[in-house]
Amino acid sequence: MKKYYAIICLLLIAVNGSFAQSFRKGSLLVSFSEGVTYTKYTTAYKGDGIKQGNVTGERDPLTVEYGLTDRWGIGMNLGGDIFNINSASYYNFESGETNNKAKVITSEITADIHYHFFVTKRTDLSLFTSVGIAGVTIEGKNGDAEYKYNAAGGIIRSGAQARYYFWKRFGALAMVSAYTSQCSTDAIKDNTVGHGISTNITGFAWELGIQYRILK
């Protein structure tokens, strides 16, 4: 009789655990994070290299994910990075700032696939891969003269996420990812600087943030 009680207890624990999982089919997750990105930043003119260097930037994305099954999810990432570079070295123009400092803002919109390989009531560990569109923007003034550079292209990113829920729906997020993006000025007509200069960025990033589960 004790054996039957033990089996029943184990079954109840298993059933209860399946309903208490932090990620499952129908979950809708929204996360905000900030972090640091370490890159190899490269510019080129019609295939000829101009400048390559190691550049560190700030990262600030929004991620949304929906659970297709208890393991697989699809989502979207809206993100961007901020870099400070020497405009004369990388893009052959004077910014007017000390050491020709110029702010580079990158943007990305990706479609994501997530696989949640370890899920408990409070912990959720997953892997993801992403593909999407990317852009690079530099804008400012040198005296009274305005300068503007835009480039567009694509990005591929992959990484891992760890979530821990302090309450039923709210928790913390940690993420690490590697990515590569390539952006050109081929379809851009209103640039005032950097004509024909492409921007390629390859690197990795780590982020910390907050996580909220809206559904399930």
Side-chain angles (χ1 to χ4, degrees):
M1 184 66 71
K2 290 183 179 180
K3 292 183 179 179
Y4 292 113
Y5 280 127
I7 293 173
I8 292 173
C9 288
L10 290 173
L11 289 173
L12 289 174
I13 291 172
V15 171
N16 182 66
S18 66
F19 285 105
Q21 291 202 348
S22 56
F23 178 86
R24 53 190 179 274
K25 181 179 180 180
S27 294
L28 179 60
L29 312 179
V30 179
S31 63
F32 301 89
S33 58
E34 291 186 352
V36 180
T37 180
Y38 304 91
T39 71
K40 180 176 288 186
Y41 195 104
T42 305
T43 54
Y45 178 75
K46 294 183 179 180
D48 294 329
I50 295 178
K51 175 70 174 179
Q52 184 179 87
N54 297 320
V55 181
T56 301
E58 302 173 10
R59 178 158 174 77
D60 187 16
L62 162 68
T63 304
V64 179
E65 181 189 353
Y66 178 77
L68 293 177
T69 71
D70 289 348
R71 295 292 181 182
W72 291 94
I74 58 172
M76 181 175 64
N77 179 279
L78 305 174
D81 301 330
I82 298 176
F83 302 99
N84 289 302
I85 55 91
N86 185 304
S87 63
S89 297
Y90 284 91
Y91 294 96
N92 295 334
F93 76 91
E94 304 288 331
S95 71
E97 300 291 335
T98 303
N99 296 323
N100 285 310
K101 179 181 177 181
K103 179 184 288 186
V104 178
I105 299 177
T106 70
S107 58
E108 65 186 71
I109 302 176
T110 63
D112 312 330
I113 298 177
H114 301 258
Y115 177 68
H116 298 255
F117 61 90
F118 181 80
V119 182
T120 67
K121 181 178 180 180
R122 293 187 178 273
T123 304
D124 177 10
L125 304 181
S126 63
L127 303 174
F128 70 90
T129 186
S130 310
V131 61
I133 58 176
V136 177
T137 299
I138 307 172
E139 294 182 347
K141 280 188 175 183
N142 184 352
D144 294 330
E146 294 185 356
Y147 56 82
K148 180 179 181 180
Y149 170 87
N150 283 298
I155 185 170
I156 299 174
R157 182 184 294 273
S158 61
Q161 296 175 328
R163 298 179 175 90
Y164 183 82
Y165 288 86
F166 300 104
W167 295 281
K168 180 180 179 181
R169 298 187 181 278
F170 182 79
L173 167 72
M175 184 189 322
V176 61
S177 64
Y179 70 97
T180 182
S181 67
Q182 297 183 347
C183 296
S184 74
T185 60
D186 292 346
I188 311 298
K189 297 181 179 180
D190 59 348
N191 282 345
T192 61
V193 296
H195 301 286
I197 297 178
S198 62
T199 302
N200 301 329
I201 307 174
T202 299
F204 69 94
W206 64 265
E207 306 160 43
L208 298 174
I210 56 174
Q211 169 75 36
Y212 189 79
R213 188 174 70 244
I214 299 175
L215 301 178
K216 296 288 186 176

